[in-house]
Amino acid sequence: MTESTPAASSPSSSAASADRPADAPADLPAGTVAMLAAETLPAPLLRALTAEMRRRGAVHAVEVHDVPVRAVGAAEPTTVRAARWSTTLTDSDDGHGHQLLVSLLEDAAAQLDAPQEATVTVLPAALRPADPGMLIMDVDSTLIDQEVIELLAAHAGREAEVAEVTERAMRGELDFAASLHERVAALTGLPTSVIASTVEAVSPTCGAAELIAACSRRGWPVHAVSGGFLQVLEPLAARLGLSEVGANDLAVAEDALTGAVAGPVVDRAAKAARMHEWAAAAGLPSSSVVAIGDGANDLDMVTAAGVGVAFCPKPALADQADLVIRHRSLDLVRLALGMG
């Protein structure tokens, strides 16, 4: 089911459209972007949603996409269906129909077999990212499927112990810097050769290449900032074509990890500071940044960005983000932003 009607160019598509490849996918037309993604989306449900949006205002375009997703630990991806609308609602209590659209989509999700697993997003027209912009992503469990420190700790036989501390830190139950020092200490004495094997074990999240490509077509720089480690992030960045990165530096002596971090820890405040620095260096306000993360360590960055995205997140972050993506595909972020 794909439906489009003519509409004026959206702010996200007009400013730099002349600079994009002629065959680049088109952005959604101007309007609020509403999206519903689930394992199945019955056609009658989508038709009813579209009809209700039309009754309340105007629908500028409707698209349905089959999107590959890959759960953590899964060898092969599965598929979810994602429907997205560009719409302008006039019959609503708020100025742009945000709350009404959320209610309509949540009511529709409640009719699905697993409503708690559905992704529901609404991005008001005023928040749709304009060109020029910037994308900044967290790394562990966001840009990649794994937690790097757990992969390293597995070489010391302490993966389960470190994973438990990581989980608590990402829920915001522990001070991140203190928890990082505790976890890195578990790596003391490991040979530096474990770094290369960890780089090989890392897999980019499903849809990462598509999201990065969409931003690159727009001329956006794509950065990554991590509470993980430069030694793993830098080769990953080169592989994915990222612009700049920031992360912790594992201290090394005599070809072994010392169990310490060299320099200040990249915590939530440092992530937000790095976002502001990168935006300023590009001559952009922070309101032009799309920031994506999954845990409490990303909270300051995500809430300070123009559009903050919580990706398969912990509750501490989900409650504060503009968009919450429940399925493990970064391509859903592209769709939720209204990008082509």
Side-chain angles (χ1 to χ4, degrees):
M1 171 184 175
T2 301
E3 175 184 342
S4 297
T5 57
S9 295
S10 71
S12 64
S13 63
S14 60
S17 58
D19 298 327
R20 294 186 213 157
D23 59 350
D27 292 347
L28 276 184
T32 293
V33 180
M35 186 178 77
L36 175 63
E39 186 173 338
T40 59
L41 290 177
L45 180 65
L46 297 184
R47 286 195 292 268
L49 267 173
T50 303
E52 183 63 16
M53 291 179 195
R54 283 206 178 98
R55 189 178 74 81
R56 302 275 191 163
V59 174
H60 312 298
V62 189
E63 298 176 355
V64 177
H65 300 261
D66 290 323
V67 180
V69 300
R70 186 178 59 243
V72 174
E76 298 295 332
T78 57
T79 301
V80 299
R81 299 216 93 190
R84 66 174 183 172
W85 295 259
S86 171
T87 182
T88 302
L89 300 193
T90 54
D91 180 15
S92 63
D93 293 332
D94 57 345
H96 43 65
H98 178 273
Q99 291 303 322
L100 175 58
L101 279 168
V102 170
S103 295
L104 289 175
L105 294 175
E106 289 181 344
D107 287 348
Q111 301 176 49
L112 302 174
D113 291 338
Q116 72 282 0
E117 297 176 6
T119 289
V120 169
T121 64
V122 175
L123 185 65
L127 288 183
R128 288 182 64 174
D131 296 327
M134 176 180 289
L135 175 66
I136 300 179
M137 291 180 282
D138 169 51
V139 178
D140 293 31
S141 295
T142 301
L143 178 59
I144 63 174
D145 289 320
Q146 297 80 14
E147 291 285 335
V148 166
I149 196 163
E150 295 172 14
L151 296 178
L152 291 168
H155 292 279
R158 299 179 68 177
E159 181 180 9
E161 170 193 340
V162 166
E164 191 274 334
V165 177
T166 299
E167 178 68 15
R168 292 183 62 199
M170 291 303 98
R171 291 198 302 262
E173 297 173 1
L174 301 175
D175 175 76
F176 181 81
S179 73
L180 181 70
H181 289 306
E182 177 184 347
R183 287 174 287 161
V184 171
L187 311 179
T188 302
L190 287 177
T192 54
S193 59
V194 301
I195 294 174
S197 61
T198 298
V199 170
E200 290 297 317
V202 162
S203 57
T205 298
C206 213
E210 288 77 6
L211 176 60
I212 292 168
C215 291
S216 297
R217 286 193 295 268
R218 308 174 80 93
W220 290 19
V222 179
H223 303 315
V225 61
S226 175
F229 308 108
L230 281 171
Q231 288 89 339
V232 175
L233 179 52
E234 286 177 339
L236 176 69
R239 172 182 169 190
L240 295 177
L242 305 185
S243 304
E244 293 188 62
V245 298
N248 298 298
D249 187 10
L250 286 168
V252 174
E254 298 181 354
D255 296 325
L257 304 184
T258 67
V261 172
V265 168
V266 178
D267 58 9
R268 60 190 276 181
K271 284 189 171 187
R274 190 64 63 91
M275 182 196 74
H276 292 304
E277 290 167 9
W278 281 332
L284 297 172
S286 297
S287 59
S288 293
V289 175
V290 175
I292 310 174
D294 75 303
N297 201 39
D298 303 307
L299 186 58
D300 292 1
M301 175 178 76
V302 165
T303 55
V307 179
V309 182
F311 183 74
C312 298
K314 304 298 184 291
L317 185 64
D319 293 342
Q320 301 295 321
D322 298 303
L323 302 173
V324 179
I325 305 297
R326 302 282 181 194
H327 298 90
R328 287 202 63 81
S329 173
L330 286 168
D331 202 26
L332 287 173
V333 177
R334 176 184 68 85
L335 296 176
L337 293 172
M339 288 181 169

